[in-house]
Amino acid sequence: MSILYIHLPFCNNKCPYCDFFSVPRVSPDIKDRYTDSLILEFEHRKAELGDKLKTMYLGGGSPVLLGSNNLIKLSKHIKDNFKHIEEITIEVNPEQIGDINVFLELMLNLGVNRVSIGVQTTNQSILNLIKRQLDEQKIKETIKLLRHNGIDTSIDMMFGIKDLDADLDYVTECRPEHISFYMFTVAPVYEYFSICPSEHVIDKMFNKIHKKLSASGYIHYEVSNFCLPNKESKHNSAYWEYLSYVGIGAGAHSFLEDKKIRRWNKSDIGAYINDPTTCYETEELDGDKIKREKIMLGLRLLQKGIGEELLDAQMVQQLFDRGYLDRKNGKILINIKAVPIMDEIILKLS
Ligand SMILES: C[S@@+](CC[C@H](N)C(=O)[O-])C[C@H]1O[C@@H](n2cnc3c(N)ncnc32)[C@H](O)[C@@H]1O
Ligand code: SF4
């Protein structure tokens, strides 16, 4: 069982707060060539994926900007190689949904069963500041239409900005199968820094999100992620569980657990198009680093946690006595009240 990430680094405009590798206003010709390069890289590396592909994630950027024909060509090629893929997710910026029936048609054509929509916030003054547009009603209708057609939705929100109550009301009214609440992080540029509250306020906001979404039937299964029962992101769960993944496209990362290798393609569309099979770098991971990363990622899984054998028993007991850790099904979990000091706890445990 393997998982595949495909990076589609195209956006209409670069959002000023976003650090992900993406390029605005790329020509149609480059997108066509990029699609061919993705297919070439996939062919070159598909042996790494084994016999069965469990999940495929089309991320970005704004993947729909690759163009419908290119997306269909790409997904068809992959599905010709792997017949049954359990979960196929695509990210979308609300501004690129367009006509919702046409959007649905494309999703069905691609075989997508999960759409991740970057709502971010409902506060108009913040949307203006971060240069985003949102039609709240349209997103609600899109979720309803997708659900009616067997497609789950995830909503991305950013917190640490204003108006958490309105945002929480909105997401619970939309009731998508999955919600990600990311803490708004920015380089210390004054314009944004002036709207970022203190750490204390952020901790209170985190608690509020946890309480409100838990009371609304969502399971807080990862520090930044909530889902309705059995609606975890299978793709992202594999990252947190430290399983191998293959990433293709400019800027995409891969992790080959058996070889203890991390590899990443250069964040350069031109170089990628020239030769998608050679423009990458690698890092070999030693035992200590692997252990640290396993602890760091595993502790983020608030319901599953990590195996006790990875941790120092004395330190576990100390943190357990202070109420920072819990035990469940033979695993060690971080207690929700300790999440704000998670970095310190990870340091102590690794
Ligand atoms: C790779 S982006 C793709 C989303 C899609 N292109 C869009 O704009 O809606 C995935 C998510 O990362 C989150 N994100 C991006 N920059 C962030 C930042 N500075 N702080 C917190 N979250 C951020 C946003 O919630 C965003 O929806
Ligand atoms: S559209 Fe999405 S990926 Fe592109 S810059 Fe904005 S947040 Fe980042």
Side-chain angles (χ1 to χ4, degrees):
M1 283 282 195
S2 54
I3 70 168
L4 175 67
Y5 175 81
I6 305 179
H7 196 59
L8 302 162
F10 311 110
C11 299
N12 271 345
N13 299 296
K14 186 75 200 163
C15 303
Y17 59 87
C18 176
D19 242 4
F20 288 91
F21 169 57
S22 65
V23 180
R25 295 175 294 279
V26 172
S27 73
D29 169 54
I30 297 285
K31 289 176 187 169
D32 293 347
R33 291 170 63 197
Y34 190 84
T35 307
D36 292 337
S37 298
L38 285 171
I39 291 173
L40 193 63
E41 188 186 3
F42 172 79
E43 279 301 313
H44 195 72
R45 297 183 63 197
K46 69 181 177 195
E48 291 170 39
L49 291 164
D51 298 341
K52 267 194 162 179
L53 186 58
K54 183 174 179 180
T55 69
M56 173 162 92
Y57 195 106
L58 300 158
S62 300
V64 292
L65 293 179
L66 187 67
S68 306
N69 289 344
N70 283 334
L71 278 172
I72 290 167
K73 179 175 169 182
L74 176 66
S75 85
K76 184 178 176 316
H77 186 90
I78 291 165
K79 287 194 290 173
D80 283 347
N81 281 273
F82 292 100
K83 294 287 174 257
H84 178 70
I85 308 175
E86 276 178 41
E87 182 185 276
I88 304 183
T89 307
I90 191 166
E91 282 181 348
V92 65
N93 175 330
E95 291 162 44
Q96 269 108 49
I97 289 178
D99 180 299
I100 62 174
N101 290 302
V102 176
F103 179 74
L104 169 68
E105 189 73 30
L106 175 62
M107 296 302 107
L108 293 172
N109 252 324
L110 297 176
V112 159
N113 55 12
R114 223 174 148 264
V115 174
S116 171
I117 308 177
V119 170
Q120 321 306 358
T121 176
T122 58
N123 181 291
Q124 195 52 53
S125 63
I126 300 293
L127 284 167
N128 293 343
L129 189 66
I130 64 174
K131 299 186 172 49
R132 309 252 320 174
Q133 286 171 22
L134 176 71
D135 179 339
E136 290 183 26
Q137 194 49 38
K138 181 174 171 181
I139 297 303
K140 276 189 189 164
E141 282 164 25
T142 307
I143 293 173
K144 221 165 139 183
L145 182 69
L146 291 173
R147 178 175 297 136
H148 188 70
N149 285 276
I151 301 174
D152 290 347
T153 330
S154 179
I155 283 186
D156 282 350
M157 301 296 285
M158 298 196 298
F159 79 100
I161 329 177
K162 295 182 217 160
D163 256 16
L164 185 58
D165 288 330
D167 283 355
L168 282 168
D169 287 345
Y170 179 70
V171 290
T172 47
E173 274 165 34
C174 287
R175 209 163 173 77
E177 284 72 17
H178 189 278
I179 303 169
S180 302
F181 249 103
Y182 300 116
M183 191 177 79
F184 186 51
T185 46
V186 268
V189 176
Y190 176 71
E191 192 182 12
Y192 295 113
F193 218 57
S194 61
I195 57 165
C196 287
S198 68
E199 260 181 41
H200 173 67
V201 175
I202 285 176
D203 295 348
K204 279 174 90 170
M205 285 182 167
F206 177 82
N207 271 325
K208 195 177 220 181
I209 297 167
H210 169 78
K211 280 197 180 130
K212 169 87 179 188
L213 295 187
S214 302
S216 306
Y218 285 90
I219 301 160
H220 195 172
Y221 76 104
E222 194 273 345
V223 171
S224 306
N225 288 282
F226 302 79
C227 66
L228 294 177
N230 300 317
K231 294 291 183 184
E232 292 87 356
S233 160
K234 291 180 183 163
H235 184 88
N236 290 336
S237 294
Y239 296 152
W240 301 312
E241 286 169 20
Y242 217 72
L243 302 177
S244 296
Y245 53 88
V246 173
I248 63 171
H253 284 236
S254 305
F255 170 55
L256 308 174
E257 204 228 345
D258 53 342
K259 296 189 186 129
K260 301 184 174 36
I261 283 179
R262 194 174 298 291
R263 98 171 228 175
W264 58 96
N265 289 343
K266 287 186 191 143
S267 297
D268 180 336
I269 293 178
Y272 185 74
I273 286 173
N274 270 340
D275 187 354
T277 62
T278 55
C279 68
Y280 67 89
E281 293 181 52
T282 57
E283 178 193 5
E284 252 180 71
L285 302 171
D286 63 33
D288 281 351
K289 189 156 188 183
I290 289 177
K291 189 176 153 201
R292 259 198 319 277
E293 288 184 355
K294 271 190 181 166
I295 294 174
M296 204 171 72
L297 292 168
L299 274 186
R300 294 186 65 90
L301 290 168
L302 301 178
Q303 306 296 326
K304 284 194 178 156
I306 43 172
E308 198 157 353
E309 69 285 351
L310 274 176
L311 308 169
D312 175 86
Q314 229 179 339
M315 188 50 74
V316 168
Q317 196 54 46
Q318 275 182 31
L319 294 169
F320 187 77
D321 292 343
R322 290 161 77 179
Y324 293 154
L325 296 180
D326 295 324
R327 282 195 174 88
K328 188 170 140 189
N329 303 329
K331 299 275 174 139
I332 296 295
L333 278 67
I334 194 158
N335 186 285
I336 192 75
K337 77 170 189 203
V339 171
I341 54 159
M342 191 158 171
D343 289 348
E344 275 172 59
I345 291 183
I346 289 167
L347 261 181
K348 283 188 198 297
L349 287 172
S350 49

